[in-house]
Amino acid sequence: MAKKAKQNVDKIVKKVNKEFEKTSSQIEGLVNDALKQFDSLQNQVQEPVRKLLKEIDELRDREMKRFHEEFERRLEEFHELQSSILERLGVASKEAGEEVKKLTDEVSKEASTAAKKSAPKKTAKTASKAKGSTSKPAAKKPAAKKPAAKKAPAAKAAKPVDKSDLTLVKGIGPATAKKMKDAGITSIDQIANPSAEDQEKLKAFSNVKGYSEFTAEAKKIN
């Protein structure tokens, strides 16, 4: 009887262990399924977030690039305007200098003419007291003014145009001129009478202020 009872107990223990292992494997399977679902749910949540962050970064990069391009364009326009103003002031200064020089030459000529007219009167008064030798130095004084009259034509002599200086074309500043030279536009002639290839190169500067007038302004220089 004791042996039979022991066998029955062993069978029950084995059955309990078997059921326990079965239950444990089921629980483990449920836990694994739950973890998989959790991972899937986490990926589903994280993917839109990653996509949104990526779009925000791209938008920020685009806006920063647009801002820098706009800033550079405005800065280039400012430099071109500054160069244009300085060039005009330089031309105005030259014109003023020429006007002053003309006035100086005219005053010198009038002074020399007055000296010539007054010289005979003085010599006439002193003719009775001297033999006329004193009148010769007075006649030589106006001759000293001749070099001043010769300087005017030299100042008016036209300087040869430097065709490689693209800034001579109205609207083209130093920054644009440098970019044009880098692109292959190295002479004013290429702007005044552009070939098909030069026209393609010039199209790259169509956003520069006054672009439509470049050819006309370049022809004025030629």
Side-chain angles (χ1 to χ4, degrees):
M1 290 286 293
K3 217 183 230 189
K4 228 177 199 189
K6 188 177 179 183
Q7 287 176 355
N8 290 334
V9 169
D10 290 336
K11 284 181 181 180
I12 293 170
V13 169
K14 285 180 181 179
K15 189 175 181 180
V16 169
N17 288 336
K18 189 175 181 181
E19 289 295 328
F20 180 79
E21 287 175 0
K22 184 178 179 181
T23 304
S24 298
S25 62
Q26 289 176 351
I27 292 171
E28 187 176 355
L30 291 172
V31 170
N32 290 333
D33 290 338
L35 289 174
K36 287 180 182 178
Q37 290 178 1
F38 177 78
D39 291 337
S40 176
L41 181 62
Q42 189 176 20
N43 289 332
Q44 291 175 1
V45 173
Q46 287 179 349
E47 188 61 28
V49 173
R50 287 198 198 98
K51 188 176 180 181
L52 179 61
L53 291 174
K54 185 179 179 181
E55 290 176 354
I56 291 172
D57 288 338
E58 290 175 352
L59 178 62
R60 183 191 61 189
D61 292 339
R62 284 198 304 271
E63 288 300 315
M64 288 298 294
K65 184 178 179 181
R66 187 180 65 81
F67 172 80
H68 284 301
E69 289 176 350
E70 182 69 17
F71 177 78
E72 288 178 359
R73 187 178 68 80
R74 293 295 178 88
L75 187 62
E76 184 176 349
E77 289 180 356
F78 173 77
H79 285 314
E80 290 176 354
L81 178 61
Q82 185 182 37
S83 300
S84 178
I85 291 172
L86 290 175
E87 287 173 1
R88 290 180 182 178
L89 288 175
V91 171
S93 299
K94 288 179 182 178
E95 292 176 353
E98 290 177 358
E99 290 296 327
V100 171
K101 188 170 182 61
K102 287 180 182 179
L103 290 173
T104 304
D105 292 340
E106 289 176 1
V107 171
S108 299
K109 287 179 181 179
E110 289 177 359
S112 64
T113 303
K116 287 179 181 179
K117 289 181 179 178
S118 61
K121 293 179 181 179
K122 290 181 180 179
T123 54
K125 290 179 181 179
T126 56
S128 59
K129 297 180 181 179
K131 292 180 179 180
S133 60
T134 55
S135 63
K136 292 181 180 179
K140 290 181 180 179
K141 286 182 180 178
K145 300 292 182 178
K146 290 182 180 179
K150 291 181 180 179
K151 290 181 181 179
K156 293 179 181 179
K159 294 181 180 179
V161 177
D162 184 4
K163 295 294 184 69
S164 64
D165 186 3
L166 303 183
T167 58
L168 294 176
V169 179
K170 185 178 178 182
I172 298 179
T176 302
K178 184 178 183 304
K179 290 180 180 179
M180 282 185 171
K181 287 187 176 182
D182 292 341
I185 304 297
T186 58
S187 173
I188 293 175
D189 291 333
Q190 291 177 270
I191 302 173
N193 300 296
S195 63
E197 185 180 355
D198 292 336
Q199 287 177 359
E200 289 299 321
K201 293 176 182 178
L202 288 170
K203 283 181 181 179
F205 303 92
S206 59
N207 61 340
V208 177
K209 188 177 180 181
Y211 165 78
S212 59
E213 301 296 327
F214 284 175
T215 299
E217 293 297 330
K219 286 182 178 179
K220 291 180 183 178
I221 297 171
N222 287 337

